[in-house]
Every structure is written in C-alpha cells, then in structure tokens.
Amino acid sequence: MKRSTWQIALVLVLFVLALLKINSSSGTDLTASFVSCRLIRAGEISHLYSHDQTSFNLISDPAWQRAASIGGANTQLVPFVQTPLWPYVLQPLCGSMQFSAFNELFKVTLALCFAALIWVTGRYWTTRFFRPQWVLLMAILWVRADPLREAMELTQTHAIFVLLTVLAILLARLNRPVWAGILLAISAQVKITPAAIVLYWLLMKQRRAALSFVLASVVLFVSTMLLVGRAATVDYLHSMARVSNVLLLAGGNQSMAAWWMGLVSPKAQALTFRELQLGAALKFLCSGLTIASAILGAYLDRRLEVHADGSTAPYGAILALLGTTIFAPIAWNHYYLILVVPLILVLDECLGRRSYPLLGLFVSIVALASSPNLLRHAGYLHLPVPDLVRGQFYAGLLAMAALYLLYRRRRGPTCSPGRTAPESG
C-alpha cells in the first residue's frame, strides 16, 4: 500500500475519533430501532407500528414505554416507520445490551460509514483529491457540519444506507451487477427512496443490476413475511401509506415540499413541528421531479464514457440520488450527508482546473449545509444574520447544479459529441 494511502487512512481514523469525541449523542432517533427490536423479542409485534393520533413524532404506547424502561432507553421515544425486518435482524444486539451500549455501537458504525463514504468517493472517482491534505480538509469541513452533527447527536442510521447506495452505484459501474442490486435492495428496504436508482440503471442499460435489485427485494419481502409474520408486514405497508401522505412543516425538514409550504405558511408555523396533509398535486410534483432527476442523471452519464475500472465519476447517478433526497416529502437535515460526495467531486475538479464558478459553488454548498450552525454562532456574536430556514435544501439544489457543470466540463473538447457510455451490464 502506498505511503499516501496509509496517511489517508490515518486521517480518516482521526476523523472518526474526533466525531465520537466532539459530538454528544442522545440517541433519540435510534430508540425506534432499539425498542421495536425489544418488542419483537418480547412477542409484542402488534405494537410495532403504534403511533400517536395527533403528533407524528411522539408515541405513548405503554408497551413501548415498558420496553424502553427495561432496556434503559431513557430518552424521548419516536415511532418506528421502517421495515420490520430491520429490528428483527438486530435482535442479537438489542437482546444482549442496554440502550447505552447499543447507542455507542451505532455511533461508531455511523462515523465509520461516513469516513468510508469519503474514502470510496475519493479512491474511485477522483484524480487529485485523494491526498492526505485534501482528505483532511474535507474532514475538518464535516466534523461539525450540521447534517453530520445532527446524525451523530440523534444516532441516525442514514449514513449506513447512503454508503450502501453509493457502493451499489460503484459496483454497477465495475460490472458487478448482482452485488450492486443486492446492496441497493438492502438500502431500499430500510430507506425507500434509493430505489429510484433502479430507473437510472434501466436507462443506463444496466439491466442485470436492476434485475438483481428486483429479485433481492422479492427475497427480502418474502423473508419479512416468513420471519416476522403477515400481520406485521401488513401493518408496515399501512404505515408506509400513512407516512407517504404526511408533510411535516418543521425547520428540520429540508425537502422541496416543506420549503414550498413554508413560503405560504406564517413564519411561526413554518418553524414548528406541524403535521399537514400532503396534497395530491404536491405529491405528484415531488414524485415527478424525483423521476425526472433519475432520467436526467442517466442522460448525463450515458453521454460520458464509462471506463471499465469504474473511474469515471457518476455525476448523473449522484444527481439522481440528490433528487431522491430533495424531492421526497420528508428530507431531514441529516439526509444531506450525501452532499459530501458532490463536494469531493467539485473540489477534485477545482484542484485540476481553475474554475471560479465551481469554487464559488463549493464554498456556497459548504456554508449552506452548515447554515444552522453558522447562524447560531453569528447570533452568539451579535452579528446580523439572514432569515434562512432551509439552508440544506438550497445546498442540495446548488450541488445538483455543480454536478451538471462538471458534466459540461467533461463533455468539453476532449469528448466526442456523439459518444455515449457502453453497456456495463
């Protein structure tokens, strides 16, 4: 292994340690996984999808309170809305440790997954970024960036599934379609929105990866029915249908739908945790834009040559993944962990060819992604601050624009006008 590779590994190890040291954790969002797992072990599966009739983010079921108390989860409880297969496979963990140890284990896992996301992006899709000094710069920018800070403080598992999705995109480009489909299916079982990448694969003619995803998803669904039971599976489908019709008007929801409703709602309501019905027109628009992102992403990547070693950066695929984040009705702050990938790609281009527009986009995305933190500190210093609620949403839009600009630069004089990517499986 090259000396610089060892240095990069050391930087990322120090980054993981810094994340664990600097960011405290209540583990609030992890309680849903822990308590639901305990309920399955106790045979109380019928309580898995209990929820408060008036408050989306609260749960008052006595079975939940009892399981949480026994397991030492002495923090706010949040409802469980994911596949029942997830807490089922966690049983060896939740049954052998109290919540404090369970929380610490996942904190370490999340930090490692985010470090791995930097490694994978830099190692396979950049030519100049993958140096110790630039990896260190990215680590410094992200150690207290708002999406990662919130993910660590709430112990949100999103980083695991972002990494699985990015690995699936990479493996499909490396002509490993079976594993690509399996990883994406696992990710989509817990976080549904990555499934939009299948449309991207179909348009890229990566049919074997798409087929692998479908078959793996069927296997996972059947496994859920057999392992957890038909009743819990039906409850999960009903929960999905309920959540898909909900729009949460809260400062932490960085989706386009929340941004739009925030424009037409009183300021006081736009910042509170308020549950609204997601109208049919807005729901249709969000779905349409998600699909359009996948189509645009495939169009961009098909017009770029894909090398057999997977080294061509998948600008379109990451653009599609950003679209699934921004245009979903609910996109919490920590969902914008994905911004690290386009930021690395933009920085890599800036290191190779001077581009003031790209450098401006890089700085703007970093600032907007951390805007809640920056505005808080500016307030402490009594500095004038702008009235900015959904900075990550704007950062996501700018990241999509940056990826399109990167594509245009790659389609410059060095590329033949009519050249498209070959089929990679």
Side-chain angles (χ1 to χ4, degrees), residues 30-94:
L30 193 63
T31 58
S33 296
F34 181 78
V35 176
S36 61
C37 178
R38 286 260 172 163
L39 290 172
I40 289 177
R41 286 183 60 85
E44 296 183 288
I45 299 179
S46 61
H47 294 269
L48 210 57
Y49 294 99
S50 296
H51 61 277
D52 193 277
Q53 296 296 327
T54 57
S55 299
F56 183 89
N57 61 321
L58 299 177
I59 187 165
S60 55
D61 188 329
W64 274 71
Q65 303 290 341
R66 184 168 57 252
S69 177
I70 294 172
N74 301 314
T75 184
Q76 178 185 335
L77 300 180
V78 295
F80 181 69
V81 295
Q82 296 165 342
T83 171
L85 192 60
W86 171 244
Y88 183 89
V89 301
L90 292 177
Q91 287 185 86
L93 296 178
C94 77

Side-chain angles (χ1 to χ4, degrees), residues 32-189:
S33 296
F34 181 78
V35 176
S36 61
C37 178
R38 286 260 172 163
L39 290 172
I40 289 177
R41 286 183 60 85
E44 296 183 288
I45 299 179
S46 61
H47 294 269
L48 210 57
Y49 294 99
S50 296
H51 61 277
D52 193 277
Q53 296 296 327
T54 57
S55 299
F56 183 89
N57 61 321
L58 299 177
I59 187 165
S60 55
D61 188 329
W64 274 71
Q65 303 290 341
R66 184 168 57 252
S69 177
I70 294 172
N74 301 314
T75 184
Q76 178 185 335
L77 300 180
V78 295
F80 181 69
V81 295
Q82 296 165 342
T83 171
L85 192 60
W86 171 244
Y88 183 89
V89 301
L90 292 177
Q91 287 185 86
L93 296 178
C94 77
S96 62
M97 58 182 68
Q98 291 289 92
F99 180 72
S100 58
F102 187 82
N103 186 42
E104 286 301 315
L105 176 62
F106 269 90
K107 276 183 63 180
V108 174
T109 302
L110 299 180
L112 288 171
C113 283
F114 191 80
L117 194 60
I118 296 176
W119 177 283
V120 169
T121 305
R123 165 68 177 78
Y124 287 96
W125 295 328
T126 67
T127 56
R128 301 167 186 86
F129 167 81
F130 205 56
R131 303 285 187 277
Q133 65 271 28
W134 304 121
V135 173
L136 176 61
L137 172 63
M138 194 58 61
I140 292 171
L141 291 176
W142 275 93
V143 72
R144 284 294 289 174
D146 214 62
L148 187 53
R149 179 192 61 80
E150 183 173 296
M152 295 299 295
E153 290 183 356
L154 298 177
T155 320
Q156 241 296 334
T157 58
H158 193 73
I160 300 172
F161 305 103
V162 171
L163 177 61
L164 288 178
T165 304
V166 169
L167 286 173
I169 293 170
L170 173 63
L171 289 173
R173 297 171 79 82
L174 290 172
N175 202 21
R176 301 288 186 272
V178 175
W179 280 108
I182 291 172
L183 290 185
L184 187 66
I186 293 171
S187 180
Q189 275 286 307

Side-chain angles (χ1 to χ4, degrees), residues 38-377:
R38 286 260 172 163
L39 290 172
I40 289 177
R41 286 183 60 85
E44 296 183 288
I45 299 179
S46 61
H47 294 269
L48 210 57
Y49 294 99
S50 296
H51 61 277
D52 193 277
Q53 296 296 327
T54 57
S55 299
F56 183 89
N57 61 321
L58 299 177
I59 187 165
S60 55
D61 188 329
W64 274 71
Q65 303 290 341
R66 184 168 57 252
S69 177
I70 294 172
N74 301 314
T75 184
Q76 178 185 335
L77 300 180
V78 295
F80 181 69
V81 295
Q82 296 165 342
T83 171
L85 192 60
W86 171 244
Y88 183 89
V89 301
L90 292 177
Q91 287 185 86
L93 296 178
C94 77
S96 62
M97 58 182 68
Q98 291 289 92
F99 180 72
S100 58
F102 187 82
N103 186 42
E104 286 301 315
L105 176 62
F106 269 90
K107 276 183 63 180
V108 174
T109 302
L110 299 180
L112 288 171
C113 283
F114 191 80
L117 194 60
I118 296 176
W119 177 283
V120 169
T121 305
R123 165 68 177 78
Y124 287 96
W125 295 328
T126 67
T127 56
R128 301 167 186 86
F129 167 81
F130 205 56
R131 303 285 187 277
Q133 65 271 28
W134 304 121
V135 173
L136 176 61
L137 172 63
M138 194 58 61
I140 292 171
L141 291 176
W142 275 93
V143 72
R144 284 294 289 174
D146 214 62
L148 187 53
R149 179 192 61 80
E150 183 173 296
M152 295 299 295
E153 290 183 356
L154 298 177
T155 320
Q156 241 296 334
T157 58
H158 193 73
I160 300 172
F161 305 103
V162 171
L163 177 61
L164 288 178
T165 304
V166 169
L167 286 173
I169 293 170
L170 173 63
L171 289 173
R173 297 171 79 82
L174 290 172
N175 202 21
R176 301 288 186 272
V178 175
W179 280 108
I182 291 172
L183 290 185
L184 187 66
I186 293 171
S187 180
Q189 275 286 307
V190 182
K191 300 283 185 178
I192 299 169
T193 50
I197 294 299
V198 175
L199 175 58
Y200 165 87
W201 279 344
L202 289 172
L203 294 172
M204 286 288 290
K205 297 185 179 180
Q206 294 173 320
R207 300 186 185 92
R208 284 185 289 167
L211 178 60
S212 173
F213 168 83
V214 172
L215 293 177
S217 297
V218 170
V219 169
L220 289 171
F221 184 79
V222 172
S223 299
T224 303
M225 293 277 286
L226 294 175
L227 295 173
V228 187
R230 180 178 179 276
T233 306
V234 171
D235 287 345
Y236 165 60
L237 296 176
H238 288 160
S239 175
M240 283 179 57
R242 179 180 65 87
V243 172
S244 68
N245 291 316
V246 169
L247 171 61
L248 295 175
L249 194 61
N253 185 4
Q254 299 286 326
S255 69
M256 187 203 71
W259 168 80
W260 176 260
M261 292 304 297
L263 294 178
V264 299
S265 300
K267 179 65 181 294
Q269 294 181 4
L271 295 176
T272 58
F273 207 97
R274 184 177 172 219
E275 182 177 339
L276 302 175
Q277 190 73 14
L278 183 63
L282 190 53
K283 188 176 183 179
F284 179 81
L285 178 62
C286 291
S287 300
L289 289 173
T290 300
I291 293 171
S293 299
I295 294 172
L296 175 60
Y299 171 79
L300 300 185
D301 282 349
R302 287 200 66 180
R303 292 172 63 83
L304 294 176
E305 180 181 3
V306 179
H307 297 126
D309 62 358
S311 61
T312 306
Y315 302 127
I318 303 305
L319 185 147
L321 198 53
L322 280 169
T324 67
T325 301
I326 296 170
F327 302 127
I330 298 177
W332 299 119
N333 292 338
H334 51 265
Y335 286 18
Y336 286 83
L337 292 170
I338 185 59
L339 287 173
V340 72
V341 178
L343 281 173
I344 289 173
L345 299 179
V346 170
L347 179 58
D348 183 63
E349 184 71 12
C350 290
L351 293 173
R353 290 190 289 175
R354 184 179 300 173
S355 171
Y356 292 113
L358 276 176
L359 184 59
L361 283 169
F362 179 86
V363 173
S364 299
I365 293 167
V366 170
L368 287 168
S370 298
S371 56
N373 222 8
L374 294 174
L375 293 177
R376 269 196 304 273
H377 283 84

